[in-house]
Structure formats: structure tokens, C-alpha cells
């Protein structure tokens, strides 16, 4: 049996934030694939849980009136992978979704839980970083938007204030329209694995030059991160192998890789340099550019 | 803390008080006697505890029993017909020698059953991916894949010219 001291469930977001305001110690449970596993391992004891599983409104994935893609925090990875809107507009996210866990895990694990768990290896995170995602948080005081880059504070630590719930992930049209992207999860197996390194690259081209490049990395530091120096360098540069090579080197500068049992610091840095270039090569083709060989 | 929930297991209705601390696996095995679902890793990695919930495979070890309220659950006990005849999927597993110690078998049979009931066509790569949430420590996976392919006969997409198949192949190459 799990070490659960109390269990509450809400049927609406308002009900959930009211319960959370009353009892700020409640631990939110979405799909449970992180929370229950932590309880199983003893990292989480005597938990009082607030389940969001009955809030159907949080499962929706939609295109808002202004063209923004809005992903409900309780959308499962299976739903994200199969969603026609996401497949068409931001396939780097569906690629990330299918790389996560096995089918049974993807059938229950939610994208909101993945983000709020705060792991640098979260499979959705590097893509959401590259897409400049905004997180809509709600508490009894109202809503606020937080850019995903400001959400991750450290390993397992996110910027949710007491009483707040992540309800939606928003991606504005300016951040995906005209972009081509590619996601690479580098791991030991092709399933049921945690990434050794994850790279998500998006780019927009004009006249053979990079108009915009965004690179999101997972497991290259204590939190997912962006390679701002490399991105800045790329702007306006000719799309060429030389430019890519420089981008790869600069990406390593942004990384804060460390040694873990999965890979050494040096190996991870090598992967950052190599995989950013590989991901960009495919992103370039997806953005309508020519294949670099 | 107890909660009364209603659900069906293999078509049989239950209205039952569950402890909120219990997993669905614990309720199925310890209270209702459906011991076909096995307890393996306990953290959703091995897939031995898989059951179908409303026709979709889930790891019942990391599924709280209270979440089963209103759901239809299928365990391996519900796969064979009432008179004991094995289902086509079960027969395929036997015929292909995909059964050894039997610990992973219930989950694999259930996931394969869900695939056959989805009405979709699958490429071989997709079948592998759909079965990837199950670990088998004895037979190796080849015979299991053969059994799954046999079960899905007529629903395997082998047309190498289909965009579907090409995309699968391209994804595979890119990943490498």
C-alpha cells in the first residue's frame, strides 16, 4: 500500500484551487507515474494527495483564437502523440511524447505532471523550451503566465507558488509558424529509458540564412536549458556546415553537464556538440531548407 | 480512509470499498482474487501487472484503486472464453512458444489483445513499440513478436510504399 495519509479529488479547477488554498500541504497527483513511484521508493512519505484526474477540462488540446496552441496540463503523452493539431503544427512535441516511457506509462502520464516534476530529463521539456512555451498557472488569486525558462529553478524544483496549479501550456504562433524542428532523444535503448541527452532544435530560414534558431537541451544541466549564445550567433548566418559546427561548439558553452551514472560530463558535452548539429540539419530540411552533407 | 467505487472486472460488476492507499493491482490480486496480474517491479517498468482499463493497457501497480471508479477492467482471466477455450491471441502465444515462466505473459497477451481490438493496422516497428512496456526475462522477444504478429494477421502494414511505413523507417534512421 502507498503511504497516503489523505486523498482529495476535485472535479473542476476552481474546486482544486479552493482545496489547495485550504490545505497548502496537499501534493498534486496527475497521472501518478512520478508521485506514486516516489512513494514506492520512500522519497515521499505520508502524502496528502489532491488528484486532478477528474478534471476533464484539463485534458483538451486546442488552437486558441489567436492561433496559440493550448495544451491542457492533464493531456496524456498518448493524447499528445496522437493529437492532429500538434502533429501538424509542432511535431517536435509529438516526437518527444512517443519517446517517453512505454505505452502503459504514456497512457496515463501527463504533460503537466512531466513539467511540474521538474526533472531535467523530462521528455517534453527540451521541446517546450525550444518552443518558448508559456505556462498558465492558476490559484485562488487568479491566473498568471510564466515562461517555461523561468519555471525550472533547480533539480526537481519549479516555480509553482503554494496554492498554484499548472492548467495549460501555451505556444504562440510566432514561436512555431514558419519553423522547422527536430527532436533527438539520445538514450541507451529505444524504449522505457531516461535520456542521456535530449536536444530539441527549431529554426526559421530566409534566403539561405538563419532567421531564427532555438535550441532546447535536456540533461545537459540541472534543469532543461536553452543555448542562447549559439542561438544569438546563428541569427543572420548562412546555413552551412561551418555555421553548424560553430553552433555546436557554442551550445557546449551553455550546457552545464555533469557526470552521472548514465554518462560522464565529457561524453555529454560531446553529445551536445554533435547532436545539436544533427538535430539542426533535419530541422533545416523541415523548415524548407536544403540538406547539408 | 475508504471510498466506495463501482467497476467491472471481466464483465462482473463490483461495488466495493477500497482503501485510498491501495493500488488497483492490490485490489485485484489480494481482495478479488484475480491473480493473473503479476506484481513485478512495482514502478511501472516491467509491465507484468498490466490490465486493460476501458480497453487500454495500464500498469495496475501505479494506478490507484480509487481511479477505477466507473471503469471496465479486463484481466487475463477475462480473455479466454467462458467454456475455457483460449482466445486467438492466447493460442498464438502457445503456438509460437512465446510462453515460458508465464510472469510477463498475462500483460503481453492483454496488450496484444488491445492491439487486435483497436481495428488499426500496425507496422512491425509499431508492434515492437506497442509491446515495449513489457519486460520478459526468459524467452527473449522474438517469439513474443511472432505471436503478436500472428494475432494481428491481416492488420500488419507491410506495404513498403505506404507513407506510413516510410515515415516509420525514416524515424528509425534518424534516431540512429
Amino acid at each position: 500500500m502507498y503511504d497516503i495519509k489523505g486523498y482529495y479529488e476535485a472535479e473542476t479547477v476552481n474546486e482544486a484551487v479552493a482545496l489547495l488554498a485550504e490545505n497548502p500541504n496537499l501534493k498534486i497527483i496527475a497521472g501518478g507515474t512520478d508521485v506514486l513511484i516516489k512513494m514506492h521508493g520512500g522519497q515521499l512519505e505520508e502524502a496528502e494527495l489532491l488528484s486532478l484526474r477528474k478534471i476533464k477540462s484539463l485534458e483538451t488540446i486546442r488552437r486558441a483564437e489567436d492561433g496559440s496552441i493550448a495544451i491542457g496540463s492533464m493531456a496524456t503523452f498518448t493524447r499528445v502523440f496522437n493529437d492532429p493539431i500538434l502533429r501538424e503544427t509542432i511535431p517536435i512535441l509529438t516526437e518527444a511524447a512517443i519517446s517517453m516511457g512505454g505505452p502503459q506509462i504514456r497512457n496515463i502520464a501527463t504533460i503537466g505532471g512531466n513539467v511540474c516534476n521538474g526533472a531535467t530529463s523530462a521528455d517534453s521539456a527540451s521541446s517546450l523550451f525550444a518552443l518558448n512555451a508559456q505556462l498558465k498557472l492558476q490559484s485562488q488569486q487568479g491566473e498568471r503566465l510564466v515562461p517555461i525558462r523561468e519555471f525550472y529553478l533547480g533539480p526537481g524544483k519549479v516555480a509553482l507558488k503554494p496554492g498554484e496549479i499548472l492548467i495549460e501550456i501555451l505556444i504562440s504562433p510566432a514561436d512555431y509558424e514558419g519553423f522547422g524542428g527536430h527532436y533527438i532523444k539520445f538514450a541507451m535503448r529505444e524504449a522505457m529509458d531516461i535520456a542521456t541527452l535530449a536536444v530539441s532544435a527549431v529554426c526559421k530560414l530566409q534566403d539561405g540564412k538563419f532567421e531564427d534558431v532555438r535550441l532546447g537541451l535536456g540533461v545537459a544541466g540541472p534543469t532543461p536549458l536553452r543555448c542562447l549564445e549559439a542561438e544569438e550567433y546563428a541569427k543572420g548566418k548562412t546555413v552551412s556546415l561551418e555555421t553548424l559546427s560553430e553552433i555546436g561548439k557554442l551550445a557546449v558553452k551553455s550546457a552545464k553537464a555533469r557526470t552521472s551514472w548514465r554518462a560522464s560530463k565529457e561524453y555529454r558535452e560531446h553529445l551536445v556538440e554533435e547532436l545539436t548539429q544533427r538535430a539542426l540539419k533535419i530541422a533545416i530540411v523541415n523548415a524548407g531548407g536544403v540538406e547539408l552533407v | 480512509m475508504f471510498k466506495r467505487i463501482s467497476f467491472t472486472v471481466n464483465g462482473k460488476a463490483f461495488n466495493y470499498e477500497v482503501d485510498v492507499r491501495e493500488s488497483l493491482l492490490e485490489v485485484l490480486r489480494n481482495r478479488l482474487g484475480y491473480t493473473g496480474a503479476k506484481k513485478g517491479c512495482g514502478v511501472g517498468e516491467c509491465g507484468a501487472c498490466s490490465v486493460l482499463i476501458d480497453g487500454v493497457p495500464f500498469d495496475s501497480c501505479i494506478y490507484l484503486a480509487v481511479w477505477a471508479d466507473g471503469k471496465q477492467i479486463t484481466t487475463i482471466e477475462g480473455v479466454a472464453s467462458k467454456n475455457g477455450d483460449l482466445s486467438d491471441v492466447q493460442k498464438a502465444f502457445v503456438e509460437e512458444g512465446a510462453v515460458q515462466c508465464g510472469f510477463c505473459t498475462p500483460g503481453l497477451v492483454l496488450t496484444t489483445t488491445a492491439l487486435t481490438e483497436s481495428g488499426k493496422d500496425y507496422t512491425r516497428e509499431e508492434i515492437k513499440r506497442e509491446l515495449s512496456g513489457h519486460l520478459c526475462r526468459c524467452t527473449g522477444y522474438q517469439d513474443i513478436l511472432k505471436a503478436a504478429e500472428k494475432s494481428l494477421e491481416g492488420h500488419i502494414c507491410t506495404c513498403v510504399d505506404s507513407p506510413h511505413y516510410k515515415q516509420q523507417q525514416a524515424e528509425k534512421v534518424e534516431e540512429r
Side-chain angles (χ1 to χ4, degrees), chain B residues 4-25:
Chain B
R4 182 163 285 279
I5 61 167
S6 302
F7 54 95
T8 68
V9 183
N10 306 329
K12 190 177 170 193
F14 288 91
N15 185 283
Y16 197 77
E17 288 245 308
V18 293
D19 190 318
V20 296
R21 298 173 297 173
E22 282 177 301
S23 67
L24 178 59
L25 178 66

Side-chain angles (χ1 to χ4, degrees), chain A residues 254-274:
Chain A
S254 303
K256 297 176 189 71
R258 64 182 187 92
T259 297
S260 78
W261 67 270
R262 248 184 282 278
S264 68
K265 176 178 190 287
E266 292 73 18
Y267 184 36
R268 283 207 166 92
E269 288 181 343
H270 171 73
L271 288 174
V272 170
E273 184 172 347
E274 178 61 30

Side-chain angles (χ1 to χ4, degrees), chain A residues 215-233:
Chain A
L215 299 165
L217 298 182
V219 212
T223 67
L225 51 89
R226 283 270 296 278
C227 306
L228 298 178
E229 210 173 321
E231 292 174 14
E232 204 46 53
Y233 165 82

Side-chain angles (χ1 to χ4, degrees), chain B residues 5-16 24 28 32 34 51-54 68-75:
Chain B
I5 61 167
S6 302
F7 54 95
T8 68
V9 183
N10 306 329
K12 190 177 170 193
F14 288 91
N15 185 283
Y16 197 77
L24 178 59
L28 288 174
L32 307 182
Y34 293 99
V51 298
L52 304 185
I53 300 176
D54 293 342
D69 192 22
K71 308 281 191 206
Q72 296 187 349
I73 295 154
T74 308
T75 69

Side-chain angles (χ1 to χ4, degrees), chain A residues 1-2 4 7 9 29 31 33 36-37 40 51 53 81 98 103-105 107-108 182 190-192 278 282, chain B residues 1 3 20-21 26 42-45 50 56-59 61-63 66-67 129-130 132-134 174:
Chain A
M1 277 201 226
Y2 288 105
I4 298 172
Y7 181 81
E9 53 193 10
I29 183 163
T33 54
L36 293 178
I37 289 168
H40 179 94
S51 166
R53 293 188 58 80
F81 176 65
I98 196 66
Q104 298 101 306
I105 299 285
N107 285 339
I108 194 160
H182 189 63
E190 282 185 32
M192 303 298 289
R278 283 193 205 175
I282 298 164
Chain B
M1 201 177 156
K3 216 168 170 282
V20 296
R21 298 173 297 173
E26 287 168 322
V43 290
E45 279 179 16
S50 295
V56 178
F58 287 89
D59 292 315
C61 69
I62 49 169
Y63 191 97
V66 290
W67 296 344
R129 192 168 73 196
E130 293 298 331
S132 67
H134 297 272
E174 278 167 19

Side-chain angles (χ1 to χ4, degrees), chain A residues 48-62:
Chain A
E48 279 193 280
L49 300 180
L50 168 60
S51 166
L52 306 183
R53 293 188 58 80
K54 284 200 168 168
I55 312 181
K56 294 292 161 207
S57 64
L58 293 184
E59 292 175 12
T60 322
I61 298 171
R62 64 194 171 92

